[in-house]
Amino acid sequence: MADVIAVRALVKKYGPLTAVDGINFNIAEGCCFGLLGPNGAGKTTTIEMLEGIIKPTSGHISLFGQTATKALYRRVGIQFQHTALPDYLSVAEILRLFASFYEQPTAIADLIALCSLGEFIGQDARKLSGGQRQRMLLALALINDPDLLFLDEPTTGLDPQARRNFWDLIGSIKAQGRTIVLTTHYMDEAQILCDEIAILDQGEIVARGAPTDLLAEHFRGVLVQIPSENLAGKRLDMAFVARPDWIEIRTEQVDSTLQQLMAQGIPLAGMQVKSANLDDLFLKLTGHALRG
Ligand code: ATP
């Protein structure tokens, strides 16, 4: 599949600070690509260079196979973290206003259906809930029927249900074949939505690939956690690590580990089996946790 974005040796310096330090990646057509990393890692700086909002200090960005030019940005939609909207307008009026900026806007009825705006379409846009506002901003980002869509931390501050609704919506947009570039702090979000991710730390990419491939490459097996009280008065004959409230057994053969535990008379009540996730990967690669 053709690359929609190709980034080579991209650098952004702010005075003495190197916010983005020579990164490289490609994003294939139809891919949902996640840029992940802690606060200050360089995600927004990177995405703003891709969006043409700020100029790189050095390096090269190509869009749709060509050096990025203004004309190419007609094929791009952007959902910003913060968007100033005109006061006193309803959602419908804002959609109509934004549609008037384009020669061939997406049909407003289609956007209302796709982004489930129907129940609050007549409402003053200042009075929307966080989730409703994000759905409206996404509809605005789609108004020029873009082939490439940028979403900058689209679910930050939403409650869990609103986040899940938003994930469904992004799934529908992906199914339309659009390419999506997403920044997020939420690793679960990236694992669910992204075909490929790049993890940024201090302006550098520390890991890049499909989430499942990255996890398989860096972690073997699962962790079985058993409450410590289950071992009271018993002797466990296998390797384990004692934590304050539970013991941990690392294994690549869960079935046989559980059979051995039962054979040794260890109750399994309260047991948890955990696979490594992207938070664990970040910790392993950088030595510090993603969230402070
Ligand atoms: P967050 O998740 O908090 O939004 P981020 O990963 O998006 O963080 P950036 O906003 O890209 O990180 O910032 C990367 C670094 O560049 C930070 O150290 C930040 O303070 C710095 N920086 C960003 N914009 C500017 C600017 N306009 N002038 C000076 N320094 C900046």
Side-chain angles (χ1 to χ4, degrees):
M1 226 173 241
D3 284 332
V4 169
I5 293 182
V7 167
R8 291 288 167 272
L10 193 64
V11 173
K12 180 69 184 178
K13 294 187 184 202
Y14 294 110
L17 177 88
T18 304
V20 172
D21 197 3
I23 59 173
N24 299 284
F25 58 85
N26 291 22
I27 303 178
E29 191 181 341
C31 175
C32 181
F33 184 89
L35 265 179
L36 317 181
N39 288 324
K43 304 181 297 293
T44 302
T45 304
T46 302
I47 208 171
E48 286 184 349
M49 288 191 279
L50 299 179
E51 290 164 348
I53 292 170
I54 57 171
K55 277 210 159 112
T57 304
S58 59
H60 187 259
I61 297 171
S62 73
L63 280 187
F64 307 108
Q66 302 168 47
T67 296
T69 58
K70 255 195 183 157
L72 287 176
Y73 283 101
R74 286 202 201 112
R75 298 173 62 185
V76 171
I78 301 176
Q79 183 184 344
F80 294 102
Q81 268 186 55
H82 307 285
T83 302
L85 295 170
D87 281 345
Y88 305 109
L89 292 188
S90 68
V91 174
E93 286 165 337
I94 289 179
L95 286 172
R96 282 199 292 273
L97 175 69
F98 276 65
S100 72
F101 301 152
Y102 297 95
E103 276 170 25
Q104 290 181 310
T106 309
I108 289 180
D110 292 348
L111 290 175
I112 294 172
L114 177 69
C115 301
S116 308
L117 308 179
E119 77 214 39
F120 53 88
I121 191 72
Q123 207 160 304
D124 184 326
R126 292 169 302 173
K127 297 193 178 132
L128 303 179
S129 71
Q132 290 172 336
R133 184 177 163 85
Q134 290 306 84
R135 272 149 54 197
M136 179 190 66
L137 293 179
L138 184 58
L140 294 179
L142 290 168
I143 211 143
N144 58 332
D145 194 18
D147 297 315
L148 169 62
L149 183 65
F150 289 100
L151 306 174
D152 196 5
E153 299 189 9
T155 65
T156 295
L158 298 190
D159 64 57
Q161 187 56 49
R163 283 181 70 212
R164 263 180 233 119
N165 292 344
F166 202 84
W167 293 349
D168 289 344
L169 178 50
I170 294 175
S172 311
I173 290 165
K174 244 176 90 170
Q176 294 176 329
R178 300 182 209 265
T179 306
I180 300 177
V181 181
L182 171 88
T183 68
T184 182
H185 290 280
Y186 301 117
M187 296 292 116
D188 54 346
E189 180 161 296
Q191 217 159 330
I192 288 168
L193 293 177
C194 297
D195 305 303
E196 222 178 291
I197 56 165
I199 301 182
L200 275 176
D201 188 37
Q202 296 176 21
E204 291 182 28
I205 292 179
V206 293
R208 181 156 62 90
T212 43
D213 292 350
L214 286 170
L215 291 173
E217 188 186 319
H218 290 276
F219 296 97
R220 294 257 170 277
V222 295
L223 271 188
V224 176
Q225 297 179 328
I226 312 246
S228 308
E229 66 210 33
N230 296 18
L231 275 83
K234 301 198 162 64
R235 202 179 142 270
L236 177 56
D237 187 16
M238 72 174 68
F240 67 90
V241 176
R243 304 282 180 205
D245 297 324
W246 64 85
I247 61 133
E248 266 175 16
I249 302 156
R250 186 169 288 282
T251 176
E252 289 181 40
Q253 269 94 38
V254 192
D255 290 2
S256 75
T257 301
L258 296 188
Q259 279 163 9
Q260 284 175 50
L261 285 166
M262 286 193 286
Q264 293 179 36
I266 311 286
L268 300 183
M271 175 192 76
Q272 295 200 40
V273 178
K274 289 195 171 162
S275 306
N277 59 26
L278 293 177
D279 284 299
D280 300 314
L281 178 65
F282 184 82
L283 182 62
K284 183 174 179 201
L285 293 174
T286 67
H288 50 262
L290 196 56
R291 280 176 282 276

